[in-house]
Amino acid sequence: SPFADETALLNHLDKLHVSRVFVDLSGPVAKRLPHEKLLHAAMESADNHWTLDFEQPITRRPGETGTLLVYKRTSPESAGPKQ
């Protein structure tokens, strides 16, 4: 991942004025890539600036189901994860 940690990722989203983030949790946990894990962790850690807007069940292939999470920005800047 080009981001060292959650704070760097959240700062990048702020810089780009991103207002929604989609996190795809439909694949097996063991196969999730580091940047996918980092994005999910960043969204969960910044709940004072990002909120889970909705969850959508999804199926990639028969027997491979999961959830799509959609986060919405609730304040202008994340300023990193909550302490």
Side-chain angles (χ1 to χ4, degrees):
S1 172
F3 305 105
D5 56 24
E6 295 166 21
T7 300
L9 175 54
L10 291 167
N11 287 337
H12 187 71
L13 296 174
D14 289 344
K15 181 180 173 185
L16 297 176
H17 305 290
V18 172
S19 61
R20 297 220 184 239
V21 170
F22 293 74
V23 179
D24 182 354
L25 300 178
S26 64
V29 174
K31 291 187 177 181
R32 290 194 190 135
L33 299 173
H35 70 272
E36 294 171 323
K37 294 175 186 175
L38 181 64
L39 181 60
H40 189 213
M43 291 295 101
E44 291 292 307
S45 72
D47 63 358
N48 53 334
H49 297 282
W50 291 88
T51 186
L52 181 61
D53 195 30
F54 69 90
E55 297 181 39
Q56 176 69 43
I58 55 176
T59 302
R60 282 184 175 251
R61 298 177 194 93
E64 193 173 308
T65 60
T67 306
L68 177 68
L69 305 176
V70 180
Y71 290 88
K72 179 172 77 171
R73 183 185 294 277
T74 58
S75 68
E77 292 186 4
S78 299
K82 66 182 176 183
Q83 301 298 319

